[in-house]
């Protein structure tokens, strides 16, 4: 996001319900409508200039992706990161380093109520929807994005169950595990993490969010909408789903992870 949208600001992580992530026949990430599934990603605020650049990178004029405004369930970022410029986050060493520093300084995060956000920009391919394998060069980009996404709060369960079937984890020498996502502290050996059953296997169908009151704002400020509460976790999807990336009105970007949305 620093390279593609240099003026972007981080808002938080979000869940797009009744969609699933895939790698399509072009070898890139996409999201497809499918009841009972979800896509997790990151939300950013971008201005019109950055949105125009993003349109070019996502191939909108070539019909590689199309722009849709969708509703997502937002987990707002903590105060140390909320609406921080992405360039600042990168220059500070990334979200993981910022979180460690905040913890060392004794910073206590305020709890922010999760809520629904309307009109989030999502890049979706409607012409390329067949499940396929990723391009070789794309795997590393996704893994780099996942490292930041995990530091920003994306669930390991989601990564393991929804991304890993399509995107292999990078091999750490001597461990066979993902080094990029779980770096061991200096002087400490890495141990295997216990496998936690995915809540996506419980088979709870998502409930539709209640009616929401719309609050309009002038562009380029993001438009947001509150709702009664978070959706229940849907059943595990039959195939992988994307990490999404987002826009001005917050946006989800599905093609590539760079930071990020929501591609992924």
């Amino acid at each position: 996001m620093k390279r593609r949208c240099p003026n972007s600001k981080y808002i938080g992580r979000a869940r797009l319900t009744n969609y699933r992530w895939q790698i399509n026949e072009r070898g890139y990430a996409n999201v497809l409508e499918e009841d009972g599934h979800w896509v997790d990603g990151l939300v950013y605020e971008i201005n019109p200039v950055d949105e125009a650049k993003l349109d070019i990178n996502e191939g909108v004029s070539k019909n590689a992706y199309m722009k849709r405004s969708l509703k997502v369930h937002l987990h707002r970022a903590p105060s140390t990161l909320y609406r921080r410029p992405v360039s600042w986050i990168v220059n500070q060493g990334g979200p993981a380093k910022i979180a460690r520093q905040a913890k060392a300084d004794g910073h206590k995060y305020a709890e922010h109520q999760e809520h629904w956000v309307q009109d989030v920009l999502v890049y979706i391919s409607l012409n390329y929807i067949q499940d396929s394998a990723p391009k070789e060069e794309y795997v590393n980009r996704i893994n780099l994005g996942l490292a930041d996404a995990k530091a920003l709060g994306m669930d390991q369960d989601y990564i393991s169950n929804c991304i890993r079937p399509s995107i292999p984890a990078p091999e750490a020498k001597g461990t066979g595990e993902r080094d990029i996502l779980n770096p061991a502290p200096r002087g400490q050996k890495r141990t295997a993490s216990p496998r936690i059953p995915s809540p996506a296997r419980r088979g709870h169908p998502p409930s539709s969010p209640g009616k929401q009151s719309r609050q309009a704002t002038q562009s380029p400020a993001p438009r947001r909408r509150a709702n009664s509460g978070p959706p229940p976790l849907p059943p595990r999807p039959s195939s992988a789903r994307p990490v999404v990336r987002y826009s001005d009105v917050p946006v989800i970007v599905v093609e590539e992870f760079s930071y990020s949305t929501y591609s992924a």
Side-chain angles (χ1 to χ4, degrees):
M1 286 296 286
K2 179 183 178 182
R3 178 173 58 85
R4 293 190 171 192
C5 300
N7 301 306
S8 59
K9 298 176 181 179
Y10 181 60
I11 299 299
R13 55 191 173 87
R15 174 163 292 179
L16 175 65
T17 57
N18 294 321
Y19 280 79
R20 73 171 177 90
W21 191 72
Q22 70 159 180
I23 294 292
N24 63 19
E25 62 264 44
R26 293 180 63 241
Y28 296 110
N30 187 33
V31 295
L32 300 174
E33 281 193 78
E34 192 160 331
D35 289 343
H37 298 174
W38 76 80
V39 175
D40 286 349
L42 304 177
V43 179
Y44 295 88
E45 179 181 316
I46 64 175
N47 62 23
V49 174
D50 281 353
E51 184 175 346
K53 293 178 182 178
L54 202 56
D55 289 349
I56 294 173
N57 282 304
E58 299 300 326
V60 172
S61 64
K62 300 177 182 178
N63 293 321
Y65 288 91
M66 299 179 182
K67 300 165 71 173
R68 294 290 183 269
S69 292
L70 301 176
K71 178 167 53 184
V72 301
H73 190 252
L74 178 68
H75 301 251
R76 213 192 87 169
S79 56
T80 51
L81 292 171
Y82 180 65
R83 297 197 80 244
R84 290 281 193 175
V86 171
S87 58
W88 179 87
I89 295 175
V90 173
N91 293 339
Q92 294 297 312
K97 184 175 181 180
I98 294 172
R100 288 195 300 269
Q101 185 61 49
K103 184 177 181 180
D105 294 342
H107 183 85
K108 294 183 178 180
Y109 296 120
E111 293 292 332
H112 298 288
Q113 185 177 4
E114 301 168 6
H115 60 283
W116 291 93
V117 178
Q118 190 74 25
D119 297 334
V120 173
L121 176 59
V122 185
Y123 288 82
I124 298 178
S125 177
L126 302 178
N127 296 324
Y128 304 97
I129 58 174
Q130 299 301 315
D131 293 326
S132 188
K135 290 182 178 293
E136 186 175 352
E137 56 84 20
Y138 193 55
V139 172
N140 185 56
R141 283 193 281 160
I142 289 287
N143 279 322
L144 290 173
L146 285 173
D148 282 347
K150 185 178 179 184
L152 290 166
M154 182 173 285
D155 293 338
Q156 179 60 49
D157 181 73
Y158 174 80
I159 295 173
S160 298
N161 289 280
C162 303
I163 306 299
R164 288 297 168 222
S166 297
I167 304 294
E171 292 294 320
K173 187 176 181 180
T175 66
E177 276 298 320
R178 43 192 179 281
D179 185 56
I180 216 171
L181 295 184
N182 294 311
R186 291 184 181 179
Q188 178 179 329
K189 294 182 179 180
R190 183 194 310 278
T191 56
S193 301
R195 189 167 185 83
I196 301 173
S198 169
R201 298 181 182 179
R202 296 173 186 169
H204 294 169
S207 60
S208 300
K211 294 184 179 179
Q212 309 167 21
S213 58
R214 180 164 187 152
Q215 179 179 359
T217 59
Q218 293 183 347
S219 179
R223 292 166 287 175
R224 304 196 176 167
R225 176 180 296 186
N227 194 22
S228 57
L233 293 176
R236 181 181 181 180
S238 56
S239 62
R241 296 156 284 177
V243 180
V244 219
R245 215 173 31 203
Y246 305 87
S247 170
D248 157 71
V249 255
V251 295
I252 303 179
V253 178
V254 281
E255 185 187 29
E256 301 179 30
F257 254 108
S258 74
Y259 314 103
S260 186
T261 134
Y262 122 95
S263 84

